[in-house]
Amino acid sequence: MDSPILRALFSDIVLQPQSGKAVYLQLAEAIIDLIKRGRIPPGGRLPSSRDLAGILRLNRLTITKAFQELEMQGWLEGRVGRGTFVGSNLPELRAQRLSREGVTEGGKHQAGFEIQDTAYLRHGVDPVTTRLHLDDGFPDPSLAPLKELYRAYRAQLDRGDLYGRFGSYGHAKGSERFLDSLTRYLNLTRGLNITVRNVLSVRGTVMGINLVCNGLIQRGDIVVTGVPGWRRAEANFQHAGAQLLGVPIDRDGIQVDVLERLCRTTKVRLVYVTPHHHYPTTVSLPMDRRLELLRLAGKYGFIIFEDDYDYDFHYKHKPLLPLASADDGGMVIYCGSFSKTFSPAFRLGYLVASENAIAHLASVRILLDRQGDHILERAMAELLDDGTIQRSLRKAVAVYRERRDYFCGLLAEELGSGVQFDIPEGGLTVWTHFDRGLDLARLAAETRKKGLYLSDGAAHRYPTYDAHAIRLGFASSTKDALEESVGVLKEVLKIRL
């Protein structure tokens, strides 16, 4: 070998014969890395297979296979009687532009291009990793019909005509069987008057919101949400370029009189509401405000996005029917999911709207997701048709009502004046106010040290709103776990953080 520099470069290559990957492929990747980093320029000559075999203590056949692989990929070119060279048509890559800075053993951690950072995207994920949890209102998966779902899903795979059902893409709107079953279910339980042409299957509420943002919101549009509200929905509207305006929430939900004053001076494109149990406060929008909201939508021409994330969980009386059930003008886009019926990991939901709106959103959906999981959708259709979902919900509601009552009793008896709350008529959480002298971030940190998860309330604070409150979810815990959780909370509160 003529060049001591090349000898040094190739001497630094480390191969791992026990890794499971062919050694010649490892060598090929190492040579590509040298070329990418500009250590060997286009047209540069490589050591002969004999010399390289000596340096790396490999069989010449291994070296030859690596060279042949790289020639086929276009990285190298062999010249008869002269040797092997880096492809002359490759662009010259300078080492300083493709340096190893920012690259770790586990991969690249710093992009070479600019990424615009925005505050609304820094929501992150706060997974529950502790044994005890007073979460954001998650269901108890042990109450879900998981065995029935498993049997229904497996049955879809065992039936004949696999190509007819799974051999090609289906409709972006969803499985016809699922849409048909879901339509009947929603008409029966929500008082809707719809056909399958009014329904679109989505992978949960967030996807439904995102589709509406992509398909119906343009940059600069005005979107109104309640304050406080759901940050994940707000982030979607902001990412779509909408201007976000807030309307206050009181004990009866969004203040429609304030909304009307806003509409008189501002062209509102969409109003996002959670009328059944407002997020995060859990209050229900009364009938007079519901009817007024529908009237305002017709008068001022704005879309109502009705996020009905926990319609099935109401304890005092039958829940008020959705806004969509009284919508005669086609102004409401109704969104729901089965995440609370099963678990947050179960991603299957739906949008309900006018036929032309659904057709448009289905076309937009193809840009993001060609179609949903039609096997899962057909399995869900079976559970809707045979009454499994309805029976499971009746059982879950009874259990959650009992847990709510027990939990609220514990809060009142054990924490006393340390907390203030109203017993929620429905939903899976208690909106709980704490003394303003208490640091909620420190409270959350200290309870986690003792094995209890709860929120620090930061997501519910706004420049114009701070109730110093957090959502304490009771549904996902047994009575024993709730008692233990309140015990931990009581112990930490005694320290007066």
Side-chain angles (χ1 to χ4, degrees):
M1 179 182 295
D2 297 329
S3 172
I5 297 178
L6 277 181
R7 176 178 291 276
L9 283 178
F10 284 93
S11 296
D12 288 339
I13 292 177
V14 177
L15 303 175
Q16 298 177 328
Q18 307 303 321
S19 67
K21 179 182 289 188
V23 174
Y24 83 92
L25 291 177
Q26 294 184 50
L27 176 58
E29 291 174 357
I31 295 173
I32 290 174
D33 184 64
L34 291 174
I35 297 172
K36 281 183 174 181
R37 289 192 284 137
R39 308 303 298 273
I40 310 177
R45 186 171 185 267
L46 270 68
S48 68
S49 60
R50 182 188 298 276
D51 287 342
L52 196 51
I55 294 172
L56 298 176
R57 297 181 180 180
L58 294 175
N59 188 292
R60 284 185 65 183
L61 180 59
T62 301
I63 308 299
T64 300
K65 288 182 66 176
F67 282 2
Q68 289 174 343
E69 177 71 22
L70 293 176
E71 286 183 32
M72 287 188 292
Q73 294 185 28
W75 290 100
L76 302 181
E77 55 186 36
R79 301 175 186 174
V80 179
R82 299 183 57 191
T84 303
F85 298 79
V86 175
S88 57
N89 293 326
L90 293 176
E92 184 172 357
L93 304 174
R94 298 183 179 180
Q96 61 267 29
R97 294 185 60 191
L98 287 173
S99 68
R100 298 300 291 173
E101 182 180 355
V103 179
T104 65
E105 186 175 344
K108 300 175 182 177
H109 64 83
Q110 190 69 32
F113 49 84
E114 182 181 356
I115 299 176
Q116 183 177 358
D117 187 27
T118 49
Y120 62 80
L121 289 178
R122 293 197 293 269
H123 43 69
V125 176
D126 191 16
V128 179
T129 57
T130 54
R131 182 175 63 86
L132 300 172
H133 38 80
L134 298 175
D135 51 44
D136 195 45
F138 302 152
D140 185 346
S142 70
L143 301 177
L146 298 179
K147 291 182 180 179
E148 292 83 351
L149 176 64
Y150 168 76
R151 286 195 292 267
Y153 194 94
R154 182 174 179 177
Q156 292 298 319
L157 301 177
D158 289 342
R159 291 170 182 167
D161 189 24
L162 289 179
Y163 184 83
R165 290 182 294 124
F166 309 128
S168 60
Y169 288 112
H171 200 287
K173 284 185 58 182
S175 159
E176 292 182 7
R177 168 78 189 282
F178 173 63
L179 295 179
D180 183 63
S181 300
L182 179 62
T183 297
R184 289 195 300 272
Y185 175 75
L186 294 177
N187 284 338
L188 179 64
T189 61
R190 269 73 165 168
L192 304 185
N193 183 24
I194 58 173
T195 71
V196 293
R197 293 185 295 275
N198 297 115
V199 187
L200 169 65
S201 170
V202 294
R203 297 181 188 268
T205 301
V206 173
M207 181 178 180
I209 295 172
N210 189 267
L211 277 180
V212 169
C213 286
N214 284 325
L216 298 173
I217 301 297
Q218 296 183 2
R219 183 166 296 277
D221 280 349
I222 303 297
V223 171
V224 174
T225 64
V227 176
W230 189 32
R231 296 290 194 181
R232 194 62 53 85
E234 295 170 3
N236 268 278
F237 298 129
Q238 289 175 282
H239 198 64
Q243 181 181 349
L244 207 60
L245 299 180
V247 168
I249 298 294
D250 61 19
R251 295 180 65 86
D252 289 321
I254 191 168
Q255 298 182 17
V256 291
D257 55 336
V258 177
L259 174 61
E260 181 168 24
R261 290 198 297 270
L262 176 64
C263 289
R264 289 171 185 164
T265 59
T266 306
K267 177 60 177 176
V268 174
R269 174 58 171 168
L270 181 145
V271 175
Y272 170 82
V273 289
T274 50
H276 187 51
H277 299 126
H278 173 72
Y279 185 96
T281 67
T282 75
V283 299
S284 296
L285 193 67
M287 184 56 67
D288 58 336
R289 291 196 183 185
R290 291 171 181 247
L291 295 176
E292 181 64 6
L293 183 57
L294 287 169
R295 185 188 72 81
L296 294 178
K299 180 178 179 179
Y300 294 102
F302 58 76
I303 302 165
I304 297 175
F305 189 102
E306 182 177 13
D307 180 354
D308 207 2
Y309 65 97
D310 64 354
Y311 174 86
D312 295 299
F313 305 106
H314 207 81
Y315 313 120
K316 187 175 181 180
H317 48 70
K318 287 187 176 181
L320 293 174
L321 292 177
L323 292 166
S325 68
D327 174 34
D328 296 327
M331 305 306 296
V332 177
I333 297 176
Y334 180 74
C335 184
S337 81
F338 291 98
S339 294
K340 295 292 189 292
T341 307
F342 287 88
S343 82
F346 188 84
R347 309 312 301 164
L348 182 59
Y350 46 85
L351 289 177
V352 177
S354 61
E355 292 182 15
N356 63 328
I358 289 298
H360 174 67
L361 292 173
S363 298
V364 174
R365 188 240 174 91
I366 295 176
L367 303 177
L368 171 69
D369 187 19
R370 178 60 183 82
Q371 66 179 51
D373 184 341
H374 282 203
I375 306 176
L376 177 61
E377 290 173 3
R378 290 187 180 96
M380 176 58 70
E382 290 196 15
L383 301 190
L384 289 170
D385 290 343
D386 68 13
T388 296
I389 296 299
Q390 295 87 326
R391 291 190 297 271
S392 175
L393 284 172
R394 285 195 295 269
K395 174 185 175 182
V397 167
V399 173
Y400 293 155
R401 181 192 295 113
E402 188 176 359
R403 290 179 182 178
R404 178 205 62 173
D405 294 343
Y406 187 70
F407 181 58
C408 289
L410 287 172
L411 290 178
E413 294 170 11
E414 300 297 326
L415 304 185
S417 61
V419 297
Q420 293 82 42
F421 62 91
D422 292 325
I423 299 177
E425 295 183 352
L428 307 180
T429 66
V430 178
W431 180 238
T432 310
H433 299 256
F434 290 80
D435 186 280
R436 288 196 173 274
L438 186 70
D439 187 330
L440 293 181
R442 290 189 61 191
L443 174 66
E446 290 300 320
T447 58
R448 288 200 193 193
K449 291 179 182 178
K450 296 181 179 296
L452 168 65
Y453 168 89
L454 51 84
S455 167
D456 62 6
H460 311 315
R461 289 194 288 271
Y462 291 73
T464 59
Y465 177 91
D466 181 9
H468 208 66
I470 56 179
R471 286 163 59 89
L472 299 180
F474 57 82
S476 60
S477 301
T478 64
K479 285 185 177 181
D480 289 342
L482 290 172
E483 184 173 352
E484 192 174 352
S485 297
V486 173
V488 171
L489 191 53
K490 180 180 180 178
E491 179 185 351
V492 174
L493 285 174
K494 280 184 177 179
I495 305 174
R496 300 298 298 170
L497 297 173

